[in-house]
């Protein structure tokens, strides 16, 4: 099961290495990780998605993260009402004549074409991971040349 | 002030009396200022010795130990000692020189990414790139190292930062956003724990190094006596409860006493304090204390429910929480039947060894040492059979009198740690119980001892083997003694060549006189006891087995 955890950390060099090192040293896997500054530039925000069935491991991950000196607070979104989003950029094969068809598909999702050149559309999609997954299945019919995802970010409702 | 001056001023204000270290190119500015300072500097012969000495100093005194090394190889040589302190939660500040800040990342001469290398083995670490951060960093480092669950903190300082100039501002208070150790237990949880304790008929207190760190030994004794519960302890907990007390069960776990392991297995309540349920203690976790509720008191929340499911977790400082528990507990269910059962186990399965007339048994040497010192000495150990015999056969009655590498199991720890302990407690006898293998790992520190008149004693239990590995090969690998037969130099001549004193004992009847003589000599002494080569440490729980399934050897 995937768990989304957000970690507020001091914005210092080496913090990311501390956090990722903690995961690797204990053999936990990170599914996705997104980092950015907060409104306060001395503090950064990390959204980490971990995949584990074991509640005890999840508990340890949170406790171990809390133990790091640079970590200020931790929020586990598993049992909290929250909004999650992920951004995807993809290059999709699309002949000129099929452009309308592609745009019609994208309309159903929070997605759009941001560039169209030489029968390739660069599309942008924002949504929950399930929605993104559904969109990608549909778009796959066109042929996806390249794909990049930010990983999940989350905020409490 | 220059960076070097600031550092030394900060160390003085932190109350640092002694630094163990080794010079080198990237710490020259520091050494230059150290020359004028009244902080005592002990020049070791290998940086690993510096880290272990700082560690031993800290374990013996409760103060934060400080070690110092240059960049690159100096710093990497410290790492075993840092990891050792990390595993055993010892407050330590390690200072390393780094190449000039503009050379960092250029693969400069004697450059190593020391903050990167030590990240997983320090509580926290710093690379000081701006001289303006230096004083604050030192203050934070000492705060972090010595509070909460203590541990080593490393400060890496480029040599140009040591030379730069700035105004010295001493930060009286430092505030670290993400660092607020919990010191007082949750009152509701304490009440709940008290209720469990009051109703328990077969309680066992399982005490760890946290008791010693927090200075909670008096509270522990008061609690044990008030609730009439037997006390067992971890290797790190040795000394937290007087081994001579009738409620004492001795150490538990892999080489613990049979009665401690039986008591844990039969208990209806475990009161774990400052202990982390290490695998050497629990054995197979699904058979550990199967019928017991577990109360776990620890300052580190991540230690709770890590290995063993806990019924009542209480996060906080052991001294505070035990004090509050004592207040809370008014009367107690009768435990006399339980204590009688335990007494039966003590009589049925005592610690024992087969003594012999001629050959020296290692256990006998340690018994005699106890008899001569009556617990009024600081014992350090190396790692292996010597360590386990030292844990089993010497009776520790005070905290900070048994210094041993618990978590990491570092051979070569005992001798430099003894050096540090002796500097911290010059009035005490400090004795390293060693094996012939382990002592050779940091034997170079003989020179440090002699030059600085650090009068420590080394009892070598010389069996010609790497004893503990040999024991495992005997029991689990059909006596195929692979890579364990170790030869040694002539320890007597070796000691003498360093201007220390060397003695050799090959007969049982000479043991006591040799120990008596050793304790009287005002110099570093090596006593080489030629002991039974194939003596084993018993009882022994095979790794991964239930702790009441012991190999008795002699039973």
């Amino acid at each position: 099961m995937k768990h989304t955890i957000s970690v507020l950390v001091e914005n210092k060099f080496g913090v990311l290495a501390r956090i990722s090192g903690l995961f690797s040293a204990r053999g936990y896997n990170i599914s996705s990780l997104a980092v950015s500054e907060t409104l306060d530039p001395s503090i950064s925000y990390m959204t980490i998605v971990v995949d584990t069935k074991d509640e005890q491991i999840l508990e340890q991950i949170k406790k171990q993260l809390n133990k790091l000196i640079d970590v200020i607070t931790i929020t586990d979104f598993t049992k909290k009402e929250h909004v999650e989003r992920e951004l995807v950029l993809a290059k999709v094969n699309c002949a000129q004549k099929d452009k309308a068809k592609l745009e019609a598909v994208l309309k159903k999702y929070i997605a759009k074409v941001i560039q169209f050149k030489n029968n390739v559309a660069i599309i942008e999609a924002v949504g929950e991971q399930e929605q993104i997954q559904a969109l990608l299945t549909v778009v796959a019919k066109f042929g996806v040349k390249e794909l990049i995802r930010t990983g999940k970010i989350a905020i409490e409702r | 002030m220059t960076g070097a001056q600031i550092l030394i001023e900060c160390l003085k204000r932190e109350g640092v009396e002694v630094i163990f270290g080794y010079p080198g190119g990237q710490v020259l500015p520091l050494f230059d200022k150290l020359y004028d300072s009244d902080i005592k500097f002990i020049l070791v012969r290998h940086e690993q010795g510096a880290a272990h000495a700082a560690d031993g100093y800290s374990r013996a005194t409760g103060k934060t130990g400080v070690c110092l090394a240059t960049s690159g190889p100096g710093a990497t040589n410290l790492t075993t000692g840092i990891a050792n302190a990390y595993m055993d939660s010892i407050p330590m500040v390690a200072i390393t020189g780094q190449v000039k800040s503009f050379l960092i990342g250029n693969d400069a001469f004697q450059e190593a990414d020391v903050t990167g290398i030590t990240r997983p083995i320090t509580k926290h670490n710093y690379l000081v790139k701006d001289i303006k951060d230096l004083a604050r960093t030192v203050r934070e480092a000492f705060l972090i190292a010595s509070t909460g669950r203590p541990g080593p903190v490393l400060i890496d300082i480029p040599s140009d930062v040591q030379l730069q100039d700035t105004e010295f501002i001493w930060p009286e208070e430092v505030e670290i956003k993400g660092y607020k150790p919990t010191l007082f237990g949750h009152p509701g949880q304490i009440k709940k724990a008290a209720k469990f304790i009051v109703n328990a008929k077969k309680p066992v207190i399982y005490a760890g190094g946290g008791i010693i760190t927090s200075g909670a030994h008096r509270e522990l004794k008061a609690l044990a006596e008030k609730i009439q519960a037997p006390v067992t302890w971890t290797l790190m907990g040795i000394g937290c409860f007087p081994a001579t007390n009738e409620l004492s069960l001795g150490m538990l776990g892999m080489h613990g006493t049979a009665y401690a392991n039986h008591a844990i297995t039969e208990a209806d309540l475990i009161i774990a304090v400052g202990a982390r349920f290490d695998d050497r203690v629990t054995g197979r976790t699904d058979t550990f204390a199967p019928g017991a509720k577990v109360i776990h008191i620890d300052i580190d929340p991540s230690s709770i429910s890590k290995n063993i499911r806990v019924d009542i977790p209480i996060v906080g400082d052991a001294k505070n929480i035990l004090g509050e528990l004592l207040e809370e507990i008014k009367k107690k269910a009768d435990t006399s039947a339980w204590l009688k059962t335990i007494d039966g186990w003590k009589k049925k399965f005592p610690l024992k060894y087969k003594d012999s007339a001629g050959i020296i048994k290692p256990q006998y040497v340690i018994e005699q040492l106890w008899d001569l010192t009556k617990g009024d000495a600081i014992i350090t150990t190396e790692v292996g059979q010597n360590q386990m015999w030292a844990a089993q056969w010497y009776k520790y009655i005070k905290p900070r009198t048994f210094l041993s590498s618990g978590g990491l199991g570092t051979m070569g720890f005992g001798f430099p740690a003894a050096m540090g302990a002796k500097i911290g407690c010059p009035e005490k006898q400090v004795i390293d119980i060693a094996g012939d293998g382990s002592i050779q790992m940091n034997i170079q520190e003989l020179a440090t001892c002699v030059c600085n008149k650090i009068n420590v004693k080394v009892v070598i239990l010389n069996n010609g083997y790497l004893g503990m590995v040999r024991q495992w090969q005997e029991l689990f690998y059909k006596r195929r003694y692979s890579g364990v037969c170790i030869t040694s130099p002539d320890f007597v001549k070796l000691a003498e060549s360093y201007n220390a004193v060397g003695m050799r004992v090959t007969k049982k009847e000479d043991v006591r006189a040799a120990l008596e003589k050793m304790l009287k000599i005002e110099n570093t002494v090596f006593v080489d006891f030629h002991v039974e080569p194939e003596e084993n440490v018993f009882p022994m729980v095979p790794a991964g087995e239930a702790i009441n399934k012991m190999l008795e050897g002699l039973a």
Side-chain angles (χ1 to χ4, degrees):
Chain A
M1 191 190 157
K2 292 202 168 164
H3 300 268
T4 309
I5 300 167
S6 83
V7 190
L8 215 56
V9 298
E10 301 233 23
N11 187 7
K12 288 181 180 161
F13 71 90
V15 174
L16 183 60
R18 272 183 217 287
I19 297 214
S20 56
L22 185 152
F23 278 80
S24 65
R26 290 176 189 270
Y28 309 142
N29 197 18
I30 300 180
S31 292
S32 88
L33 169 68
V35 192
S36 72
E37 273 183 12
T38 61
L39 286 172
D40 176 351
S42 72
I43 294 173
S44 285
Y45 193 86
M46 295 186 184
T47 311
I48 304 174
V49 180
V50 289
D51 196 357
T52 176
K53 275 184 252 130
D54 193 335
E55 276 293 317
Q56 216 171 325
I57 290 183
L58 182 70
E59 203 53 40
Q60 265 302 306
I61 290 175
K62 289 191 279 181
K63 285 174 171 173
Q64 294 293 342
L65 282 170
N66 240 325
K67 216 163 128 177
L68 297 176
I69 308 289
D70 290 328
V71 169
I72 304 166
T73 54
I74 290 172
T75 315
D76 177 4
F77 287 113
T78 314
K79 284 170 191 150
K80 277 200 161 75
E81 282 221 32
H82 66 284
V83 185
E84 290 181 1
R85 288 292 181 271
E86 183 175 14
L87 171 68
V88 170
L89 294 174
K91 283 183 188 163
V92 179
N93 292 327
C94 182
Q96 186 69 40
K97 63 174 170 55
D98 295 330
K99 199 180 163 202
K101 214 161 102 192
L102 177 66
E103 278 170 342
V105 168
L106 296 185
K107 230 178 198 173
K108 286 196 208 154
Y109 301 90
I110 313 169
K112 62 181 181 205
V113 174
I114 53 175
Q115 189 193 296
F116 192 91
K117 214 162 104 187
N118 304 332
N119 292 335
V120 173
I122 298 182
I123 67 165
E124 164 197 285
V126 177
E128 291 183 12
Q129 272 186 340
E130 297 72 32
Q131 294 174 304
I132 301 273
Q133 216 49 56
L135 169 72
L136 293 177
T137 322
V138 182
V139 178
K141 289 170 193 150
F142 289 84
V144 178
K145 285 166 70 81
E146 209 179 319
L147 177 83
I148 187 101
R149 309 170 67 148
T150 57
K152 205 188 273 185
I153 57 167
I155 197 163
E156 208 179 329
R157 275 191 202 272
Chain B
M1 280 193 196
T2 65
Q5 282 170 316
I6 289 174
L7 178 71
I8 284 163
E9 183 58 32
C10 288
L11 294 177
K12 271 200 257 177
R13 292 193 189 205
E14 293 290 352
V16 175
E17 296 155 346
V18 58
I19 297 175
F20 303 90
Y22 208 95
Q26 302 307 331
V27 277
L28 280 172
L30 270 174
F31 274 85
D32 188 57
K33 296 304 169 199
L34 207 51
Y35 194 69
D36 302 324
S37 109
D38 46 18
I39 296 176
K40 190 170 177 178
F41 177 75
I42 303 290
L43 172 63
V44 294
R45 295 301 184 267
H46 185 290
E47 287 89 349
Q48 189 187 347
H52 290 325
D55 181 324
Y57 171 87
S58 177
R59 288 182 205 235
T61 62
K63 299 175 196 166
T64 300
V66 179
C67 55
L68 168 60
T70 190
S71 67
T76 54
N77 276 349
L78 280 181
T79 51
T80 300
I82 294 173
N84 186 75
Y86 183 65
M87 290 291 275
D88 287 346
S89 309
I90 304 302
M92 177 193 289
V93 171
I95 299 161
T96 48
Q98 182 53 276
V99 299
K100 291 182 177 61
S101 44
F102 56 85
L103 286 174
I104 292 177
N106 287 8
D107 299 332
F109 176 65
Q110 292 195 331
E111 181 189 357
D113 171 14
V114 172
T115 44
I117 290 168
T118 59
R119 199 173 290 129
I121 54 164
T122 50
K123 187 172 171 189
H124 196 55
N125 64 19
Y126 296 91
L127 166 63
V128 183
K129 290 201 291 191
D130 184 341
I131 187 175
K132 290 199 177 66
D133 296 335
L134 184 57
R136 195 191 143 80
T137 302
V138 177
R139 195 104 175 86
E140 283 187 8
F142 276 84
L143 178 78
I144 291 169
S146 62
T147 54
R149 178 178 180 172
V153 178
L154 179 134
I155 313 173
D156 199 26
I157 315 174
S159 58
D160 55 327
V161 173
Q162 298 166 35
L163 290 165
Q164 283 159 16
D165 244 301
T166 192
E167 188 193 348
F168 174 64
I169 303 165
W170 172 248
E172 275 303 334
E173 296 286 326
V174 283
E175 159 91 12
I176 308 165
K177 277 189 199 126
Y179 185 68
K180 304 261 177 323
T182 308
L183 299 179
F184 292 92
H186 188 279
Q189 293 293 87
I190 290 173
K191 277 207 169 66
K192 222 162 119 189
K195 208 177 273 171
F196 272 68
I197 292 171
V198 166
N199 294 323
K201 294 203 171 61
K202 298 191 285 177
V204 173
I205 299 177
Y206 152 52
I211 296 282
I212 295 167
T213 310
S214 116
H217 50 283
R218 285 184 201 89
E219 286 77 4
L220 175 72
K221 189 157 175 271
L223 181 72
E225 282 170 353
K226 185 167 189 175
I227 66 172
Q228 284 297 301
V231 183
T232 182
W233 49 79
T234 66
L235 184 83
M236 288 299 295
I238 287 177
C240 72
F241 190 80
T244 45
N245 189 298
E246 56 180 20
L247 287 169
S248 92
L249 287 172
M251 186 171 74
L252 83 164
M254 183 175 274
H255 292 297
T257 62
Y259 37 96
N261 288 349
H262 286 306
I264 284 280
T265 309
E266 298 294 318
D268 66 354
L269 179 71
I270 306 286
I271 309 162
V273 197
R276 61 190 175 93
F277 297 91
D278 180 90
D279 59 283
R280 284 293 185 269
V281 157
T282 61
R284 245 179 81 177
T285 48
D286 58 341
T287 54
F288 182 79
K293 295 277 182 212
V294 179
I295 299 169
H296 190 185
I297 299 166
D298 206 293
I299 198 154
D300 177 6
S302 74
S303 278
I304 291 175
S305 289
K306 183 171 65 186
N307 305 328
I308 292 280
R309 265 265 165 250
V310 169
D311 298 283
I312 306 179
I314 311 177
V315 176
D317 182 76
K319 192 179 167 83
N320 295 335
I321 293 170
L322 291 182
E324 284 166 309
L325 262 179
L326 276 167
E327 294 274 306
E328 199 61 48
I329 295 163
K330 303 285 184 258
K331 58 175 195 306
K332 169 78 189 77
D334 184 25
T335 58
S336 53
W338 175 230
L339 294 178
K340 227 176 125 191
T341 308
I342 286 172
D343 233 39
W345 284 326
K346 282 187 178 174
K347 289 198 180 84
K348 198 169 166 196
F349 313 110
L351 270 181
K352 60 190 165 195
Y353 65 94
K354 206 180 265 169
D355 207 359
S356 76
I359 297 169
I360 304 172
K361 289 295 178 114
Q363 301 94 327
Y364 174 78
V365 176
I366 293 166
E367 274 187 307
Q368 290 303 310
L369 186 62
W370 183 77
D371 202 49
L372 287 167
T373 55
K374 294 285 186 244
D376 190 23
I378 294 174
I379 305 293
T380 74
T381 78
E382 302 294 340
V383 164
Q385 289 185 317
N386 62 80
Q387 177 185 32
M388 290 302 126
W389 285 318
Q392 291 177 333
W393 294 95
Y394 192 93
K395 295 189 183 73
Y396 303 87
I397 48 179
K398 280 182 271 183
R400 303 194 183 280
T401 55
F402 177 76
L403 321 182
S404 190
S405 169
L408 196 65
T410 312
M411 288 173 75
F413 168 79
F415 185 34
M419 236 160 59
K422 183 71 183 178
I423 286 173
C425 306
E427 73 292 349
K428 283 270 170 78
Q429 278 285 1
V430 181
I431 305 153
D432 174 31
I433 294 176
D436 44 334
S438 278
I439 192 63
Q440 293 185 64
M441 280 220 180
N442 273 316
I443 203 160
Q444 75 287 348
E445 299 308 331
L446 252 173
T448 312
C449 282
V450 173
C451 286
N452 293 283
K453 300 195 164 45
I454 305 169
N455 159 16
V456 299
K457 313 291 191 280
V458 182
V459 168
I460 302 171
L461 304 173
N462 186 343
N463 55 16
Y465 286 115
L466 301 175
M468 190 58 96
V469 184
R470 186 210 57 76
Q471 176 170 339
W472 284 53
Q473 289 177 344
E474 176 189 332
L475 297 173
F476 310 119
Y477 293 86
K478 300 178 183 160
R479 264 180 208 265
R480 287 156 55 83
Y481 291 166
S482 176
V484 292
C485 186
I486 191 166
T487 54
S488 296
D490 179 330
F491 287 120
V492 176
K493 280 189 188 161
L494 181 104
E496 283 167 356
S497 78
Y498 279 93
N499 284 324
V501 177
M503 289 151 63
R504 180 174 300 110
V505 186
T506 53
K507 286 196 226 83
K508 187 190 169 189
E509 53 270 30
D510 298 335
V511 168
R512 192 167 172 107
L515 288 171
E516 273 173 352
K517 191 173 161 198
M518 170 192 92
L519 292 169
K520 285 197 191 102
I521 296 170
E522 287 287 320
N523 194 346
T524 307
V525 187
F526 268 33
V527 192
D528 180 20
F529 290 97
H530 286 216
V531 299
E532 162 79 53
E534 291 192 276
E535 185 69 14
N536 287 336
V537 181
F538 286 118
M540 178 187 190
V541 179
E545 188 52 90
I547 59 166
N548 62 342
K549 301 271 182 281
M550 284 157 281
L551 306 176
E552 280 290 347
L554 295 165

